Amino acid sequence: MSGSKCTRLGGPLVKQVLESVDSVLFDCDGVIWRGDQAIPGAAQVINLLKENGKKVFFVTNNSTKTRKMYADKMNTLGFDATEEEVFGTAYCSAMYLKTVCKVEGKVYLVGSNAMKQELEAVGIQQTGVGPDLISGKQLDWANVPLDADVKAVVVGFDEHFSYMKLNRALQYLSQPGCLFVGTNRDTRLPLEGGKAVPGTGCLLKAVETAAQRQAETVGKPNHFMFDCVASQYGIDPNRCLMVGDRLDTDIMLGSNCGLKTLLTLTGVSTVADAEAHQKSGCAERQGMVPDYYVDSIADLLPALQG
Amino acid sequence: MSGSKCTRLGGPLVKQVLESVDSVLFDCDGVIWRGDQAIPGAAQVINLLKENGKKVFFVTNNSTKTRKMYADKMNTLGFDATEEEVFGTAYCSAMYLKTVCKVEGKVYLVGSNAMKQELEAVGIQQTGVGPDLISGKQLDWANVPLDADVKAVVVGFDEHFSYMKLNRALQYLSQPGCLFVGTNRDTRLPLEGGKAVPGTGCLLKAVETAAQRQAETVGKPNHFMFDCVASQYGIDPNRCLMVGDRLDTDIMLGSNCGLKTLLTLTGVSTVADAEAHQKSGCAERQGMVPDYYVDSIADLLPALQG
């Protein structure tokens, strides 16, 4: 696999790259699907990789679904996938709190029902899910009743995010020893037609600004996401390929963990973005330059069928 | 007024400093009152300054009150003050939008009823005040109906801040030419007993992160707050004293505008904070070193009574 980075993956090189790896990690949105539509050919690629003996995993920063919800969606869209192959930030944050933070007590959760379920599945209780509207005045907010068992504040995607949740997070985080974990820092969730809605990174920034503290983040590009897969399945980073559509999360994760990296152009980032990083001369930005790129993961099909 | 900065203001120096100025700008919370309690002696100081022929103004980043609401509170607490002497960010943001931005159209307001009133008082209509709860899914959020007349997003303190407001701000700010104004960047509202609740800076940070744009901010330390007073009353900066409890807003405003500066220790910042800035050797931080400090503005009383 010699040569320069950011090479178009095509022709005989596809087979060569696939033969050099035993496992492939896929980001989901913008890579294997967009919203509720599978990328054409993606299911065939995933299924053929598995038939060819590759281990396949799904690694996503989206915290709104449990492993089971992801597996169900994949099966509906024709992907051969089990929940054990899914590593989303709802599940990985629960693992992080249990195995890295070893949190003993409850979590104040700014997040989804899916996160609640994944936390409970590893034996961590939470408080906070659902709407939390304002009442009273400043002094009431500052003295809002707190759950004495709460030992960590966790921030994921939460469509019920509110000033009162921000305030409650601040009050918990002002207590000595309270842990502070975020699922990820993605600032936007991109949708079709160039549209986007605010991502978890916006909510996390608000809480960090109020608390005057930085959260530990679990999601890509933090290597914990890969560690989570690797520790359970004994993955050799040298023989692993990370496939994603975002340079700052997917490709950076691959670089951080010593994986081979493949950018697919069906999502957020472009080849021009990658080349700008490459030419920047900035060491940190080199981690956002993929080894290879394809227009779509469907470009892997001929090599798998041949 | 020679000598080094950060000097305790006492003895004959008080009279000397007061004689060197024609007008005095006071921050409110932590300076003339704390919450609903006047700082002991503060009303007497303000009233005597006026009796001695000084112009007195109140300059606050708090955006939750109109000029009239402030004047009413002051009168209740025994201060001789009129609404024309109050320059809060609710009023100043309205002036900024009208005179600097010359906005033609509506404002999408993340803010209080007081801001709505001050905007309407200068002829600017708004939409957005009050609760805005979530419904539907991502695609609905991205396609939320927008008011075609909106030409600016304004972010102030808003206890009804919600994911839906954050999303609506993002959608407006994605339109070409949409202006983006914040009242201030204070990250916390400090309360008695070391408590605090999240400030406007947290909400602004969330919107800036979503929009991938920086807001123009009206409040201290932006010189617009002083310009607002100066243009209406013909203030000579050389003969003006800024009194405040925060180095990063009040004292910085004074430095930015060439005013004399006085830190009072009844609020947020300490002399140690000021000395740390002084010793830092960092040019930007020198602007946060006050000329003088007092334990309380009541320390000015003897010179005014004598």
Side-chain angles (χ1 to χ4, degrees), chain A residues 25 55 57 67 87 91-92 95-96 99-100 223-237:
Chain A
L25 272 50
K55 289 177 188 158
F57 303 99
R67 301 181 101 179
F87 292 80
Y91 168 74
C92 288
M95 290 301 287
Y96 186 80
T99 64
V100 178
H223 60 80
F224 180 78
M225 292 289 274
F226 175 71
D227 297 348
C228 220
V229 185
S231 66
Q232 290 180 29
Y233 289 91
I235 308 296
D236 175 1

Side-chain angles (χ1 to χ4, degrees), chain A residues 253-295:
Chain A
L253 173 77
S255 302
N256 285 344
C257 300
L259 318 182
K260 294 177 174 67
T261 53
L262 172 60
L263 174 70
T264 176
L265 302 177
T266 46
V268 170
S269 301
T270 64
V271 173
D273 295 335
E275 286 172 347
H277 290 308
Q278 193 164 26
K279 286 174 191 155
S280 71
C282 163
E284 204 191 317
R285 291 177 66 183
Q286 297 311 311
M288 292 192 271
V289 183
D291 296 318
Y292 310 102
Y293 70 89
V294 286
D295 289 328

Side-chain angles (χ1 to χ4, degrees), chain A residues 48-105:
Chain A
L48 281 168
L49 280 169
K50 291 176 127 187
E51 282 174 30
N52 284 322
K54 307 294 182 195
K55 289 177 188 158
V56 172
F57 303 99
F58 305 94
V59 179
T60 170
N61 274 1
N62 188 313
S63 64
T64 64
K65 289 188 175 68
T66 61
R67 301 181 101 179
K68 178 158 188 344
M69 288 158 80
Y70 268 113
D72 289 348
K73 176 172 177 176
M74 285 172 189
N75 295 339
T76 302
L77 294 176
F79 295 88
D80 168 13
T82 66
E83 49 185 297
E84 288 75 22
E85 291 162 346
V86 177
F87 292 80
T89 49
Y91 168 74
C92 288
S93 295
M95 290 301 287
Y96 186 80
L97 287 158
K98 190 173 176 72
T99 64
V100 178
C101 305
K102 300 186 197 327
V103 68
E104 292 185 2

Side-chain angles (χ1 to χ4, degrees), chain A:
Chain A
M1 298 302 105
S2 67
S4 59
K5 297 194 85 179
C6 207
T7 305
R8 178 181 282 277
L9 190 58
L13 189 58
V14 182
K15 227 179 181 112
Q16 209 180 325
V17 169
L18 290 177
E19 277 169 5
S20 75
V21 301
D22 303 321
S23 50
V24 188
L25 272 50
F26 287 94
D27 174 42
C28 295
D29 203 44
V31 176
I32 64 169
W33 62 50
R34 287 199 294 205
D36 288 328
Q37 304 282 315
I39 297 283
Q44 241 182 311
V45 168
I46 303 289
N47 301 349
L48 281 168
L49 280 169
K50 291 176 127 187
E51 282 174 30
N52 284 322
K54 307 294 182 195
K55 289 177 188 158
V56 172
F57 303 99
F58 305 94
V59 179
T60 170
N61 274 1
N62 188 313
S63 64
T64 64
K65 289 188 175 68
T66 61
R67 301 181 101 179
K68 178 158 188 344
M69 288 158 80
Y70 268 113
D72 289 348
K73 176 172 177 176
M74 285 172 189
N75 295 339
T76 302
L77 294 176
F79 295 88
D80 168 13
T82 66
E83 49 185 297
E84 288 75 22
E85 291 162 346
V86 177
F87 292 80
T89 49
Y91 168 74
C92 288
S93 295
M95 290 301 287
Y96 186 80
L97 287 158
K98 190 173 176 72
T99 64
V100 178
C101 305
K102 300 186 197 327
V103 68
E104 292 185 2
K106 269 191 199 171
V107 156
Y108 174 62
L109 177 60
V110 177
S112 61
N113 251 308
M115 290 187 70
K116 174 186 162 168
Q117 289 173 43
E118 294 289 17
L119 284 168
E120 288 177 352
V122 302
I124 299 174
Q125 298 303 306
Q126 65 76 46
T127 174
V129 161
D132 188 3
L133 303 183
I134 199 83
S135 65
K137 299 200 172 250
Q138 284 181 20
L139 266 179
D140 307 308
W141 310 338
N143 293 298
V144 71
L146 300 181
D147 185 327
D149 293 337
V150 165
K151 303 296 179 204
V153 168
V154 179
V155 177
F157 185 79
D158 187 350
E159 66 202 59
H160 297 293
F161 188 72
S162 65
Y163 182 79
M164 199 57 189
K165 290 194 175 200
L166 174 61
N167 173 61
R168 227 180 271 270
L170 165 55
Q171 304 311 329
Y172 280 118
L173 287 167
S174 300
Q175 298 186 323
C178 184
L179 299 168
F180 187 15
V181 172
T183 55
N184 64 297
R185 295 193 180 276
D186 297 54
T187 57
R188 290 179 172 192
L189 303 179
L191 301 171
E192 292 298 297
K195 294 253 179 187
V197 296
T200 305
C202 305
L203 316 185
L204 190 56
K205 206 61 153 170
V207 177
E208 288 183 326
T209 304
Q212 300 172 352
R213 287 177 58 178
Q214 278 255 315
E216 302 283 324
T217 48
V218 171
K220 299 173 283 186
N222 187 330
H223 60 80
F224 180 78
M225 292 289 274
F226 175 71
D227 297 348
C228 220
V229 185
S231 66
Q232 290 180 29
Y233 289 91
I235 308 296
D236 175 1
N238 289 313
R239 295 192 54 82
C240 180
L241 176 68
M242 173 73 214
V243 187
D245 71 314
R246 288 185 77 127
L247 301 172
D248 58 343
T249 53
D250 301 320
I251 302 307
M252 195 65 161
L253 173 77
S255 302
N256 285 344
C257 300
L259 318 182
K260 294 177 174 67
T261 53
L262 172 60
L263 174 70
T264 176
L265 302 177
T266 46
V268 170
S269 301
T270 64
V271 173
D273 295 335
E275 286 172 347
H277 290 308
Q278 193 164 26
K279 286 174 191 155
S280 71
C282 163
E284 204 191 317
R285 291 177 66 183
Q286 297 311 311
M288 292 192 271
V289 183
D291 296 318
Y292 310 102
Y293 70 89
V294 286
D295 289 328
S296 156
I297 62 168
D299 296 359
L300 306 179
L301 261 186
L304 289 164
Q305 288 166 324

Side-chain angles (χ1 to χ4, degrees), chain B residues 7-24:
Chain B
T7 305
R8 179 183 280 278
L9 190 59
L13 190 57
V14 183
K15 224 175 186 117
Q16 209 180 324
V17 169
L18 290 178
E19 277 169 6
S20 75
V21 300
D22 303 320
S23 51
V24 188

Side-chain angles (χ1 to χ4, degrees), chain B residues 6-53:
Chain B
C6 208
T7 305
R8 179 183 280 278
L9 190 59
L13 190 57
V14 183
K15 224 175 186 117
Q16 209 180 324
V17 169
L18 290 178
E19 277 169 6
S20 75
V21 300
D22 303 320
S23 51
V24 188
L25 271 50
F26 287 93
D27 176 41
C28 296
D29 204 42
V31 176
I32 64 168
W33 61 52
R34 287 198 296 205
D36 289 328
Q37 304 282 315
I39 298 283
Q44 240 182 310
V45 168
I46 304 288
N47 300 349
L48 281 168
L49 280 169
K50 292 176 129 189
E51 283 174 29
N52 283 321

Side-chain angles (χ1 to χ4, degrees), chain B residues 191-214:
Chain B
L191 302 170
E192 292 299 297
K195 295 253 180 187
V197 297
T200 306
C202 305
L203 316 185
L204 190 56
K205 206 64 154 168
V207 177
E208 288 183 326
T209 304
Q212 300 171 351
R213 288 177 58 177
Q214 280 253 317

Side-chain angles (χ1 to χ4, degrees), chain B residues 2 11 41-42 74 93 99-100 110 122 129 133 140 144 174 260 294 298:
Chain B
S2 66
M74 284 172 190
S93 295
T99 64
V100 178
V110 177
V122 301
V129 160
L133 303 182
D140 307 308
V144 72
S174 300
K260 294 178 175 65
V294 285

